[in-house]
Amino acid sequence: MKKQNFGRIIMTTSASGIYGNFGQANYSAAKLGLLGLSNTLALEGKKNNIYCNTIAPIAGSRMTENILPQNMLESLKPDYVAPLVLWLCHESCEENGGLFEVGAGWIGKLRWERTLGALVRQKNQPMTPEAVKADWIQICDFENASKPRSIEESIGKAMESLSKIDSDGRVSTNNTSHAASSKATSGFVGAIGHKLPPFSSSYTELEAIMYALGVGASIKKPKDLKFIYEGNSDFSCLPTFGVIIAQKSIMGGGLAEIPGLSINFAKVLHGEQYLELYKPLPRAGNLKCEAVVADVLDKGSGLVILMDVYSYSGKELVCYNQFSLFLVGSGGIGGKRTSDKVKEAVAIPNRRPDAVLTETTSFNQAALYRLSGDWNPLHIDPNFASLAGFNTPILHGLCTFGFSARHVLQQFADNDVSRFKAIKARFAKPVYPGQTLQTEMWKEGNRIHFQTKTQGTGDIVISNAYVDLVPKSDTLDKTPSEGAELQSALVFEEIGRRLQDVGPEVVKKVNAVFEWHITKGGKAVAKWTTDLKNGTGKVYQGPAKGPADATIILSDEDFMDLVVGKLDPQKAFFSGRLKARGNIMLGLKLQTIFKDYAKL
């Protein structure tokens, strides 16, 4: 199902599993277990267009043929269940994670319901059965009940209660519990957050042109001339040249210095790549790059290192890369499998592509592309390729990545590099020089989903990929002036100045890094980081240079209300005005800090 990026799964539970039934303990437990399995598969399969639902049929069967009257058996025959199953399996059905009772021509959907409940904890007093008894009517009152649909909504009420307790001056949470839990569950404490030595990445028009030729730009295509002729009035760097700027972080031997990890470079695979530009790349430049291990994941068959690389021109962030490196055979040691630091790949739409472009690579393609700095002999030396299990040297995955990005830029942006915002791709299979690439593209708003195949074999070589474009009226080179008009920018700058005086005190109280995504009109227009964890604290524009403890998303207006104390962070979170990822309990500390330092 994952391979074909489509699947429909139907689990069969029963009323005994949902409600219980006298004398059927084992059967009921097994049937309810199927519902839990189905709900989890629905969550895990969604990204691969695999949907899972559960039915509880009321149908006549061999088990009931000697119990129920014949006329009732006829009314409950399976023919009155099958149509629901067929619909849930249809490719146009978007239902996922549902539970349905069905029988005799009737269908109904079930859901959980929860009372508003009652808060029974008191300041400096134990929680007692008497307190539970006193509020029992309210605990069981289903008037104005909520209908939770996810585990996040399940724990959300408890988190909201913790906020109320704290704001009422009652019992506070244990500030050490999260740190202790994190330390207990992670075997890569020394690696996560490790910063590689900063490095410079200089280039001229020559390197930019060499890269463009390496990813298939050609004088045969008149619109490609802007990428391969420095005298062109619109000479530009291809946006994906941004990965070349950052690749020294994984080419220069820095991986061997990551503490807590023993890396066999012969077993390192490039799994996925994310690139985001904050402005078009200059035609020539000298950028300073900072690389940090954002996270380490254990996938069982291997480890995944998430390497974040930030590239600056002076103090201005120009581009951000995330390299996902797979260490074959190093997993299975009990680490976590997922992370909120991952720039997720996204499944392609379930319909015919809106556009398809094909292009044949040269037999010299890998030899040409390696001149941009990837000297791995796997791509040039037949003997080395043979040792790695390939008949001939293979093409660099990032070369195919560059071809695909060019196709999207050509098809949907008329080669306008100022409209390129970001790209994410997963490397699925190798390509051999000389093969023909076929890029299939789907437009959904400003996001262009794509996958790349090799013609002839039909193999998908890049999967679950997308390019985010900026609308024509809102190009990237206008973003800085828009950001300057935000009220929040003035506040962040003032916070930075205040930290010069009170930084040590704030760092001691908070001990966390916050990444802020500021929106305007529903669109993200600026990113800021408040580092209240390291040194005396600092504030800078752009994403966090290392792992952020919490990422907060809210509008420019709501940010101002939050800072001056008009908006409660927890109320904003539960009303949807403020969105957060990571350790959301840090919102409690954030509220305290803003109360103490709100006079900005």
Side-chain angles (χ1 to χ4, degrees):
M1 288 182 176
K2 290 178 67 176
K3 185 176 181 180
Q4 67 187 10
N5 198 51
F6 176 83
R8 297 293 184 265
I9 301 171
I10 309 298
M11 295 287 187
T12 304
T13 186
S14 73
S16 297
I18 299 171
Y19 307 108
N21 195 20
F22 186 84
Q24 290 190 311
N26 293 349
Y27 179 76
S28 299
K31 285 297 184 180
L32 188 58
L34 287 173
L35 177 60
L37 173 62
S38 177
N39 290 339
T40 298
L41 290 177
L43 295 172
E44 294 180 349
K46 185 177 180 181
K47 66 180 180 180
N48 295 110
N49 194 29
I50 300 171
Y51 297 160
C52 190
N53 293 282
T54 306
I55 62 170
I58 306 167
S61 67
R62 287 175 303 200
M63 292 176 63
T64 57
E65 63 183 359
N66 295 322
I67 301 174
L68 300 176
Q70 185 60 39
N71 61 339
M72 184 174 290
L73 284 173
E74 181 65 23
S75 299
L76 296 177
K77 60 184 179 181
D79 301 47
Y80 300 139
V81 174
L84 171 62
V85 175
L86 292 173
W87 164 241
L88 291 174
C89 290
H90 195 273
E91 60 182 13
S92 64
C93 181
E94 296 294 322
E95 185 68 37
N96 190 30
L99 171 62
F100 300 88
E101 288 184 313
V102 53
W106 171 86
I107 302 171
K109 185 174 182 179
L110 279 74
R111 66 185 180 190
W112 293 103
E113 190 174 45
R114 180 177 63 191
T115 70
L116 294 180
L119 189 58
V120 298
R121 290 211 294 167
Q122 298 294 328
K123 181 180 180 180
N124 299 326
Q125 295 181 12
M127 181 175 167
T128 65
E130 289 77 15
V132 176
K133 178 183 177 182
D135 285 316
W136 190 247
I137 293 177
Q138 183 179 347
I139 291 170
C140 298
D141 183 6
F142 276 91
E143 185 176 354
N144 298 320
S146 63
K147 300 169 181 65
R149 293 174 295 178
S150 67
I151 194 168
E152 289 79 13
E153 291 181 58
S154 173
I155 66 172
K157 194 66 179 179
M159 297 299 102
E160 181 181 6
S161 299
L162 289 174
S163 173
K164 290 180 179 178
I165 291 170
D166 187 70
S167 61
D168 290 342
R170 300 183 188 178
V171 182
S172 62
T173 57
N174 177 6
N175 292 329
T176 63
S177 62
H178 175 75
S181 173
S182 297
K183 188 173 182 179
T185 58
S186 175
F188 314 109
V189 174
I192 299 171
H194 173 73
K195 295 180 180 179
L196 278 65
F199 60 92
S200 294
S201 188
S202 300
Y203 66 94
T204 66
E205 291 90 344
L206 174 63
E207 284 75 25
I209 292 170
M210 191 73 72
Y211 172 78
L213 293 170
V215 296
S218 171
I219 199 169
K220 293 180 180 179
K221 309 181 190 77
K223 290 188 176 182
D224 280 1
L225 196 62
K226 63 185 287 185
F227 302 124
I228 57 178
Y229 174 44
E230 74 285 356
N232 187 279
S233 60
D234 193 25
F235 179 77
S236 306
C237 278
L238 278 169
T240 48
F241 183 67
V243 299
I244 302 299
I245 292 170
Q247 70 182 3
K248 285 184 182 178
S249 60
I250 59 173
M251 301 292 181
L255 294 178
E257 306 301 323
I258 299 176
L261 294 178
S262 178
I263 297 178
N264 180 353
F265 288 91
K267 294 188 177 182
V268 176
L269 300 177
H270 193 172
E272 298 181 5
Q273 182 68 33
Y274 178 81
L275 165 67
E276 183 171 353
L277 298 186
Y278 298 93
K279 60 181 296 184
L281 296 171
R283 60 188 293 156
N286 182 13
L287 304 185
K288 179 184 177 183
C289 300
E290 299 175 357
V292 61
V293 178
D295 217 336
V296 180
L297 309 179
D298 188 344
K299 296 295 186 178
S301 59
L303 297 179
V304 173
I305 300 176
L306 300 178
M307 180 72 72
D308 286 351
V309 185
Y310 304 87
S311 302
Y312 298 86
S313 177
K315 294 184 178 180
E316 183 180 17
L317 181 62
V318 175
C319 67
Y320 159 71
N321 280 269
Q322 183 176 89
F323 295 84
S324 297
L325 307 175
F326 189 74
L327 278 56
V328 179
S330 299
I333 57 179
K336 61 183 180 180
R337 295 182 60 87
T338 60
S339 170
D340 59 1
K341 305 295 191 303
V342 176
K343 299 296 182 180
E344 295 286 358
V346 180
I348 60 173
N350 185 27
R351 57 183 171 84
R352 297 177 68 86
D354 298 317
V356 179
L357 289 181
T358 60
E359 190 169 2
T360 302
T361 62
S362 164
F363 287 103
N364 293 318
Q365 204 72 57
L368 184 57
Y369 181 84
R370 68 190 300 268
L371 300 180
S372 289
D374 188 341
W375 304 105
N376 190 336
L378 175 66
H379 306 292
I380 192 71
D381 187 339
N383 293 326
F384 195 94
S386 178
L387 290 173
F390 299 104
N391 295 329
T392 61
I394 61 173
L395 195 60
H396 306 69
L398 283 175
C399 180
T400 308
F401 174 88
F403 266 85
S404 303
R406 268 199 320 102
H407 293 165
V408 174
L409 197 66
Q410 172 187 329
Q411 182 69 31
F412 291 100
D414 196 29
N415 278 352
D416 183 356
V417 297
S418 68
R419 292 195 57 202
F420 183 97
K421 182 180 180 182
I423 181 172
K424 171 70 181 188
R426 176 178 294 164
F427 303 110
K429 283 192 174 183
V431 175
Y432 292 93
Q435 286 188 302
T436 297
L437 299 175
Q438 176 177 301
T439 305
E440 301 173 342
M441 296 164 274
W442 294 260
K443 188 177 189 301
E444 293 196 341
N446 293 315
R447 172 163 288 184
I448 312 300
H449 298 267
F450 73 90
Q451 68 179 11
T452 305
K453 299 178 177 178
T454 51
Q455 273 195 345
T457 67
D459 290 338
I460 297 174
V461 295
I462 287 184
S463 65
N464 294 5
Y466 64 83
V467 169
D468 284 337
L469 297 175
V470 177
K472 289 182 180 179
S473 60
D474 187 28
T475 53
L476 279 175
D477 55 356
K478 295 181 181 178
T479 301
S481 62
E482 292 175 354
E485 296 171 3
L486 300 174
Q487 296 181 72
S488 54
L490 301 176
V491 174
F492 281 118
E493 291 169 0
E494 180 61 20
I495 292 175
R497 286 190 285 270
R498 292 291 179 91
L499 285 177
Q500 296 177 13
D501 298 322
V502 297
E505 178 185 353
V506 178
V507 168
K508 185 176 180 180
K509 278 190 175 183
V510 181
N511 190 33
V513 176
F514 295 91
E515 184 176 297
W516 302 82
H517 295 189
I518 305 299
T519 66
K520 195 81 171 178
K523 297 181 179 180
V525 292
K527 292 182 182 180
W528 287 83
T529 298
T530 51
D531 183 349
L532 305 178
K533 188 175 189 177
N534 300 297
T536 58
K538 61 180 177 179
V539 177
Y540 53 89
Q541 191 167 8
K545 298 177 182 178
D549 296 293
T551 299
I552 300 172
I553 306 166
L554 77 171
S555 71
D556 186 55
E557 296 80 7
D558 286 341
F559 176 84
M560 295 303 298
D561 288 344
L562 182 69
V563 169
V564 299
K566 292 182 181 179
L567 181 64
D568 178 88
Q570 278 69 47
K571 290 180 180 178
F573 175 78
F574 289 107
S575 66
R577 292 171 65 183
L578 180 153
K579 298 179 181 178
R581 299 194 298 263
N583 183 3
I584 61 175
M585 291 303 298
L586 288 172
L588 299 173
K589 289 188 177 183
L590 189 66
Q591 185 179 20
T592 302
I593 292 303
F594 280 146
K595 282 183 178 179
D596 292 345
Y597 303 97
K599 297 179 180 179
L600 297 170

